[in-house]
Amino acid sequence: MAQKVKLSTIADSLGLSTATVSLALRDSPLVAEVTRERIKCAARDLGYIYNRRAASLRTSRSGIVGVCVHDIMNPFFGEILKSVENELDRQRQTFILCNHHDDLAKQRSFVDTLLQLGADGLILSPAIGTPASDIRLPEENDLPVTLIARTVEGSGVLGFRGDDSYGMGLAVDHLVALGHRRIAMIGGTALTSTGRDREAGYLAALERAGIEFRPEWRIEGPRNRHSGFDAAATFLQIDNRPTAAACFSDLVALGFMYGLSRAGLRPGVDIAVTGYDDIDEAAIATPPLCTVSNGQSEVGRRAAEALLARLAGQPAADETILITPELRVRQSSDYNWPD
Amino acid sequence: MAQKVKLSTIADSLGLSTATVSLALRDSPLVAEVTRERIKCAARDLGYIYNRRAASLRTSRSGIVGVCVHDIMNPFFGEILKSVENELDRQRQTFILCNHHDDLAKQRSFVDTLLQLGADGLILSPAIGTPASDIRLPEENDLPVTLIARTVEGSGVLGFRGDDSYGMGLAVDHLVALGHRRIAMIGGTALTSTGRDREAGYLAALERAGIEFRPEWRIEGPRNRHSGFDAAATFLQIDNRPTAAACFSDLVALGFMYGLSRAGLRPGVDIAVTGYDDIDEAAIATPPLCTVSNGQSEVGRRAAEALLARLAGQPAADETILITPELRVRQSSDYNWPD
């Protein structure tokens, strides 16, 4: 087994000070280039880089936090991550990301990597089908976990997400108030807690309004812009076509509006459309997208704060904190709405 | 200094086989839950997790590749990363991501993390102002680097990017062929090689067409959807307003089209618009976006292949490989174009 190489070992082997060696290895111009080269060669020969990893064995914190979501390219996660990053930056934590694409094996492999690296914590939006034991495993191995956006029954850790059922209710109540009686719901899947809760909110709002739900109004599946675009064709073939569509997310709604336009229909005039998330793009879209603000920045900030509190010694809490969403009325639901 | 703890140490302390300990630590159901718990407790007491890191000292490969770009949420990078991920998955490399947001300190801190972790390689779209020495440092410390999208003079490593000057020329030649003589260029900055090369392509195409460039046609800066939206207001105030706009990227063009619509103008009818990148959304947008395909998936695939070849022992090559872009004509440049 290799001996640990310290800066002083390299310094001694060359007859230099430890400070000089340290500066040279960080490529400081304070050390002459020839000397730097000599120091780097000696360090390499002695296997110093590997032993920088060994050095981390002596501290209990690596300064690394992992973040794993199903798709980092989704602006909803992008906005959560921006506020997570802000919090972690202030604590000088390095932040590494991974897409699991709802693949349990990928998620597990990232968790393994974090354990191997001795990471300080994990912020996770769990893949579809994540068993509670996959969250208890890192927890039991001193890698605290905070959940965002999705939660897992029995995981025993803190999670932050919007109150999806209430939020979808806000959108559907608004469409009902505008006079719509045939309202479709486009996108999302019952495989995620988000999908289940938003659908429950949609169904409850129809019931509140005394509207009998018709199964053909529910177009399940779409979760991105492209599948939202494709869903417009399906929507347009519904018998006794709905006059309004409450979409699972802004991406789905923006794609759906592209699809309506492609078919010659005007979103906000011919068909009322609502989104969910209030991503940056919603307010500038054509037409501006009526949507539900989902508190992304609050979810991100509070998840990061909770993780940092765990690192500071606070015990795990088995609780899901629901952030209250807000409706943002814009012209996609009613073109006559003032801009 | 802590002693290294081996699986056999844990096994001996409990009177179990090394195989059982190994299975239990990976949470295998082959080991009874009670035993697993006992093994995990012992492992924790002995500090075993830390020593999994030490274990990696004994192998020369960590199986980790870092990828660092200015903004992962930009779909252009998203599409490059998708193909990088495909290649790395096949080699069972774990893939960790970082946004540098064009902040050199953040980029350096990620490189430090990779060095500390003993990562196998780095795929980098360098931050604005990256000195060649910031790329030579990881290279000199056995962390091979492949550049994507942007390159750095004198870095001495392989880079892959689209031929941006040629590509922007394709878009502007197309606008000229449609009869436009006043053509603006929206977005991008001379601080990146991409920005400089696309601007050079724009200017060269005007010159080929015998059109004298007017400085007010060049709206520098926008690089995302929101700033593209804002640029429409600036564009609409240009004296003797251009009839066409060649945008720096699809995101800028999509935001710019939102901005034109907000002002009551129809992209493709009143103002011809082209983008750059051919992201997924371009083909479904309203109107469909005429753009330049930038070979994202080829850039990603070839960068990953090149890095894997380095890991297999191939020497570094000081070369930038230009991928040839292609024009995708759609209705945003000419509404009469067949869909």
Side-chain angles (χ1 to χ4, degrees):
Chain A
M1 213 172 280
Q3 290 295 306
K4 280 176 189 164
V5 179
K6 298 196 259 184
L7 286 182
S8 57
T9 317
I10 304 166
D12 291 346
S13 80
L14 296 166
L16 295 166
S17 74
T18 313
T20 303
V21 170
S22 172
L23 285 167
L25 291 174
R26 304 204 62 84
D27 226 32
S28 162
L30 298 173
V31 182
E33 188 160 7
V34 182
T35 315
R36 265 186 276 161
E37 277 312 304
R38 199 151 53 90
I39 291 170
K40 283 185 192 163
C41 286
R44 209 169 331 197
D45 290 349
L46 293 163
Y48 179 69
I49 281 294
Y50 294 132
N51 284 278
R52 282 178 69 181
R53 276 186 283 167
S56 75
L57 302 184
R58 274 165 268 136
T59 70
S60 60
R61 296 274 295 271
S62 63
I64 294 165
V65 169
V67 178
C68 190
V69 301
H70 91 264
D71 184 5
I72 291 164
M73 269 64 83
N74 182 323
F76 166 71
F77 284 120
E79 293 171 13
I80 290 184
L81 297 183
K82 211 181 289 170
S83 72
V84 166
E85 206 169 1
N86 282 344
E87 285 305 308
L88 297 180
D89 270 2
R90 286 200 277 151
Q91 302 280 330
R92 312 192 129 275
Q93 291 273 341
T94 297
F95 168 85
I96 64 179
L97 299 170
C98 170
N99 286 318
H100 56 57
H101 299 299
D102 280 320
D103 173 341
L104 280 179
K106 276 202 138 179
Q107 179 174 290
R108 281 175 189 148
S109 139
F110 186 62
V111 169
D112 279 356
T113 302
L114 293 176
L115 287 170
Q116 283 166 22
L117 304 180
D120 295 340
L122 168 62
I123 292 177
L124 176 69
S125 177
I128 288 175
T130 298
S133 56
D134 275 23
I135 291 165
R136 287 197 303 265
L137 172 75
E139 276 282 336
E140 284 165 1
N141 286 283
D142 295 323
L143 179 70
V145 180
T146 304
L147 301 181
I148 50 171
R150 298 175 181 172
T151 48
V152 173
E153 278 296 316
S155 60
V157 301
L158 199 58
F160 294 88
R161 59 186 183 84
D163 185 340
D164 289 306
S165 168
Y166 174 78
M168 187 52 99
L170 292 177
V172 177
D173 288 349
H174 167 67
L175 293 169
V176 167
L178 289 169
H180 296 279
R181 303 291 297 172
R182 298 195 306 283
I183 303 170
M185 179 178 165
I186 316 286
T189 155
L191 296 173
T192 67
S193 57
T194 322
R196 286 190 298 273
D197 290 356
R198 292 189 190 167
E199 183 179 287
Y202 160 74
L203 293 172
L206 292 185
E207 204 176 325
R208 272 198 297 280
I211 297 171
E212 198 182 335
F213 168 68
R214 299 175 61 95
E216 62 269 32
W217 294 352
R218 179 73 186 98
I219 301 177
E220 242 191 275
R223 287 195 291 154
N224 59 35
R225 199 186 297 258
H226 225 104
S227 47
F229 176 82
D230 293 338
T234 313
F235 173 87
L236 293 174
Q237 283 164 0
I238 301 176
D239 247 12
N240 194 14
R241 194 171 75 200
T243 57
C247 296
F248 168 73
S249 69
D250 284 358
L251 280 188
V252 169
L254 292 162
F256 183 72
M257 296 204 299
Y258 280 155
L260 293 178
S261 303
R262 185 65 64 95
L265 290 168
R266 292 158 299 169
V269 180
D270 301 313
I271 308 285
V273 178
T274 60
Y276 203 112
D277 289 339
D278 195 23
I279 61 173
D280 250 13
E281 183 181 343
I284 62 169
T286 306
L289 181 62
C290 174
T291 185
V292 177
S293 165
N294 199 9
Q296 288 88 305
S297 62
E298 187 175 353
V299 167
R301 180 178 52 75
R302 292 185 63 181
E305 282 171 0
L307 188 65
L308 294 168
R310 286 287 304 283
L311 300 186
Q314 198 165 299
D318 181 1
E319 198 184 347
T320 296
I321 311 281
L322 292 179
I323 313 289
T324 304
E326 287 171 28
L327 185 68
R328 302 270 185 261
V329 178
R330 298 191 188 108
Q331 298 171 322
S332 69
S333 62
D334 181 1
Y335 216 79
N336 296 315
W337 211 271
D339 183 22
Chain B
M1 212 173 278
Q3 288 295 306
K4 279 177 189 163
V5 178
K6 297 197 258 184
L7 286 182
S8 57
T9 317
I10 304 166
D12 291 346
S13 79
L14 297 165
L16 295 166
S17 74
T18 313
T20 302
V21 170
S22 170
L23 285 168
L25 291 173
R26 305 206 64 85
D27 225 34
S28 164
L30 297 173
V31 182
E33 190 162 2
V34 183
T35 315
R36 264 185 276 161
E37 278 312 305
R38 200 151 53 89
I39 291 170
K40 282 183 194 164
C41 288
R44 209 170 330 196
D45 291 347
L46 292 163
Y48 178 69
I49 281 295
Y50 296 131
N51 284 277
R52 282 180 69 182
R53 277 186 282 167
S56 75
L57 303 184
R58 274 165 267 136
T59 71
S60 59
R61 296 275 295 271
S62 63
I64 295 165
V65 169
V67 178
C68 191
V69 302
H70 90 266
D71 184 6
I72 291 166
M73 269 64 83
N74 182 323
F76 166 71
F77 284 120
E79 293 172 12
I80 290 184
L81 296 184
K82 209 181 294 169
S83 72
V84 166
E85 207 169 1
N86 282 344
E87 286 305 308
L88 296 181
D89 270 2
R90 286 200 278 152
Q91 303 280 327
R92 312 191 128 276
Q93 292 273 339
T94 298
F95 168 84
I96 62 179
L97 300 171
C98 171
N99 287 318
H100 56 57
H101 299 299
D102 281 320
D103 174 341
L104 280 179
K106 277 203 135 178
Q107 178 174 292
R108 279 175 190 147
S109 140
F110 186 63
V111 168
D112 279 356
T113 302
L114 294 176
L115 288 169
Q116 283 165 24
L117 303 179
D120 294 340
L122 168 62
I123 293 177
L124 177 69
S125 178
I128 288 174
T130 299
S133 56
D134 274 23
I135 291 165
R136 286 197 303 264
L137 171 75
E139 276 283 337
E140 282 166 3
N141 286 283
D142 295 323
L143 179 71
V145 180
T146 304
L147 301 182
I148 51 172
R150 299 174 181 172
T151 47
V152 173
E153 278 297 315
S155 60
V157 302
L158 200 56
F160 294 87
R161 59 185 184 84
D163 186 339
D164 290 306
S165 168
Y166 174 78
M168 188 51 100
L170 292 177
V172 177
D173 287 350
H174 167 67
L175 293 169
V176 167
L178 289 169
H180 296 278
R181 304 290 295 172
R182 297 196 307 283
I183 303 170
M185 179 179 165
I186 316 287
T189 155
L191 295 173
T192 68
S193 58
T194 321
R196 287 190 297 273
D197 291 355
R198 291 189 191 166
E199 183 178 287
Y202 160 74
L203 294 172
L206 292 185
E207 203 176 327
R208 272 198 297 280
I211 296 171
E212 198 181 336
F213 167 69
R214 300 175 61 95
E216 63 270 31
W217 294 352
R218 180 75 186 98
I219 301 178
E220 244 191 275
R223 288 195 291 153
N224 58 35
R225 201 185 296 257
H226 227 104
S227 47
F229 177 82
D230 293 337
T234 313
F235 172 86
L236 293 173
Q237 283 163 2
I238 300 176
D239 246 12
N240 194 13
R241 193 171 77 200
T243 57
C247 296
F248 169 72
S249 70
D250 285 357
L251 280 188
V252 169
L254 291 162
F256 183 72
M257 294 202 301
Y258 279 155
L260 291 178
S261 303
R262 185 63 65 95
L265 291 167
R266 291 159 300 170
V269 180
D270 301 313
I271 308 286
V273 178
T274 60
Y276 204 114
D277 289 339
D278 196 24
I279 61 173
D280 251 13
E281 184 183 342
I284 63 170
T286 307
L289 181 62
C290 173
T291 185
V292 178
S293 164
N294 199 9
Q296 288 89 304
S297 62
E298 187 175 352
V299 167
R301 181 178 53 76
R302 292 184 64 181
E305 282 171 0
L307 188 64
L308 294 168
R310 285 289 302 283
L311 299 186
Q314 199 166 299
D318 181 1
E319 197 182 348
T320 296
I321 311 281
L322 292 179
I323 314 289
T324 304
E326 286 172 27
L327 185 69
R328 302 269 185 262
V329 178
R330 299 193 187 107
Q331 297 171 322
S332 70
S333 62
D334 181 2
Y335 216 80
N336 296 314
W337 210 270
D339 184 23

Coordinates of all heavy atoms in Angstrom, one line a residue, chain A residues 289-317:
Chain A
L289 N -48.0 33.7 -21.1 CA -48.6 32.5 -20.6 C -49.1 32.7 -19.2 O -48.4 33.0 -18.3 CB -47.5 31.3 -20.6 CG -48.0 30.0 -20.1 CD1 -49.1 29.4 -21.0 CD2 -46.8 29.0 -20.0
C290 N -50.4 32.4 -19.1 CA -51.1 32.4 -17.8 C -50.6 31.1 -17.0 O -50.7 30.0 -17.6 CB -52.6 32.4 -18.0 SG -53.5 32.1 -16.4
T291 N -50.1 31.2 -15.8 CA -49.5 30.1 -15.2 C -49.6 30.1 -13.7 O -50.1 31.1 -13.1 CB -48.1 29.9 -15.7 OG1 -47.5 28.7 -15.2 CG2 -47.2 31.0 -15.3
V292 N -49.0 29.1 -13.1 CA -49.0 29.0 -11.6 C -47.6 29.1 -11.2 O -46.7 28.3 -11.6 CB -49.6 27.7 -11.1 CG1 -49.6 27.6 -9.6 CG2 -51.1 27.6 -11.6
S293 N -47.2 30.1 -10.4 CA -45.9 30.2 -9.9 C -45.7 29.2 -8.8 O -46.5 29.0 -7.9 CB -45.7 31.6 -9.3 OG -44.5 31.6 -8.5
N294 N -44.6 28.4 -8.9 CA -44.4 27.2 -8.2 C -43.3 27.4 -7.1 O -42.9 26.4 -6.5 CB -44.0 26.1 -9.2 CG -44.3 24.7 -8.6 OD1 -44.8 24.6 -7.5 ND2 -43.8 23.7 -9.3
G295 N -42.9 28.6 -6.9 CA -41.9 28.9 -5.8 C -40.6 28.2 -6.0 O -40.0 27.8 -5.1
Q296 N -40.1 28.1 -7.3 CA -38.9 27.4 -7.6 C -37.7 27.9 -6.7 O -36.9 27.2 -6.1 CB -38.4 27.6 -9.0 CG -39.1 26.8 -10.1 CD -40.3 27.6 -10.6 OE1 -41.2 28.0 -9.8 NE2 -40.4 27.8 -11.9
S297 N -37.6 29.3 -6.6 CA -36.5 29.8 -6.0 C -36.6 29.5 -4.5 O -35.6 29.3 -3.8 CB -36.3 31.3 -6.3 OG -37.4 32.0 -5.8
E298 N -37.8 29.5 -3.9 CA -38.0 29.2 -2.5 C -37.6 27.7 -2.2 O -37.0 27.4 -1.3 CB -39.4 29.5 -2.0 CG -39.5 29.4 -0.5 CD -40.9 29.8 0.0 OE1 -41.7 30.4 -0.7 OE2 -41.1 29.6 1.2
V299 N -38.1 26.8 -3.1 CA -37.8 25.4 -3.0 C -36.3 25.2 -3.0 O -35.7 24.6 -2.1 CB -38.4 24.6 -4.1 CG1 -37.8 23.2 -4.2 CG2 -39.9 24.5 -4.0
G300 N -35.6 25.9 -3.9 CA -34.1 25.7 -4.0 C -33.4 26.3 -2.8 O -32.5 25.6 -2.2
R301 N -33.8 27.5 -2.4 CA -33.1 28.1 -1.3 C -33.3 27.3 0.0 O -32.4 27.0 0.7 CB -33.7 29.5 -1.1 CG -33.1 30.3 0.0 CD -33.6 31.8 0.1 NE -35.1 31.8 0.2 CZ -35.8 31.5 1.2 NH1 -35.3 31.1 2.3 NH2 -37.2 31.6 1.2
R302 N -34.6 26.9 0.3 CA -34.9 26.2 1.5 C -34.3 24.8 1.6 O -33.8 24.4 2.6 CB -36.4 26.2 1.8 CG -36.9 27.6 2.0 CD -38.3 27.7 2.4 NE -38.6 26.9 3.7 CZ -39.9 26.8 4.2 NH1 -40.9 27.4 3.5 NH2 -40.1 26.2 5.3
A303 N -34.2 24.1 0.4 CA -33.6 22.8 0.4 C -32.1 22.9 0.7 O -31.5 22.2 1.4 CB -33.8 22.2 -1.0
A304 N -31.5 24.0 0.1 CA -30.0 24.2 0.4 C -29.8 24.5 1.8 O -28.9 24.0 2.5 CB -29.4 25.2 -0.6
E305 N -30.6 25.4 2.4 CA -30.5 25.8 3.8 C -30.7 24.6 4.7 O -29.9 24.4 5.6 CB -31.6 26.8 4.1 CG -31.3 28.3 3.7 CD -32.5 29.2 3.8 OE1 -33.5 28.8 4.3 OE2 -32.3 30.4 3.5
A306 N -31.7 23.7 4.4 CA -31.9 22.6 5.2 C -30.7 21.6 5.2 O -30.3 21.1 6.2 CB -33.2 21.9 4.7
L307 N -30.1 21.5 4.0 CA -29.0 20.6 3.9 C -27.8 21.1 4.7 O -27.1 20.4 5.4 CB -28.6 20.4 2.4 CG -27.5 19.3 2.2 CD1 -28.0 17.9 2.6 CD2 -27.1 19.3 0.7
L308 N -27.6 22.4 4.6 CA -26.5 23.1 5.3 C -26.7 23.0 6.8 O -25.7 22.8 7.6 CB -26.3 24.5 4.8 CG -25.8 24.7 3.4 CD1 -26.0 26.2 2.9 CD2 -24.4 24.2 3.2
A309 N -28.0 23.0 7.2 CA -28.3 22.9 8.6 C -27.9 21.5 9.1 O -27.4 21.3 10.2 CB -29.7 23.2 8.9
R310 N -28.2 20.5 8.2 CA -27.9 19.1 8.5 C -26.4 19.0 8.7 O -25.9 18.3 9.7 CB -28.3 18.1 7.4 CG -29.8 17.8 7.3 CD -30.3 16.9 8.5 NE -29.6 15.7 8.6 CZ -29.8 14.6 7.8 NH1 -30.7 14.6 6.8 NH2 -29.1 13.5 8.0
L311 N -25.6 19.6 7.8 CA -24.1 19.5 7.9 C -23.7 20.2 9.2 O -22.6 19.8 9.7 CB -23.5 20.2 6.7 CG -23.9 19.6 5.3 CD1 -23.0 20.3 4.2 CD2 -23.6 18.1 5.3
A312 N -24.4 21.2 9.7 CA -24.0 21.8 10.9 C -24.5 21.1 12.1 O -24.4 21.5 13.2 CB -24.6 23.2 10.9
G313 N -25.1 19.9 11.9 CA -25.4 19.0 13.0 C -26.9 18.8 13.4 O -27.2 18.1 14.2
Q314 N -27.7 19.5 12.6 CA -29.2 19.4 12.9 C -29.6 18.0 12.5 O -29.2 17.5 11.5 CB -29.9 20.5 12.1 CG -31.3 20.7 12.6 CD -31.9 22.0 12.0 OE1 -31.3 23.1 12.3 NE2 -32.9 21.9 11.2
P315 N -30.5 17.3 13.3 CA -30.9 16.0 12.9 C -31.9 16.0 11.7 O -32.4 17.0 11.3 CB -31.7 15.5 14.2 CG -32.1 16.7 14.8 CD -31.1 17.8 14.5
A316 N -32.0 14.8 11.1 CA -32.9 14.7 9.9 C -34.3 14.8 10.4 O -34.7 14.5 11.5 CB -32.7 13.3 9.3
A317 N -35.2 15.4 9.5 CA -36.6 15.5 9.8 C -37.4 14.8 8.7 O -37.1 14.9 7.6 CB -37.0 17.0 9.8

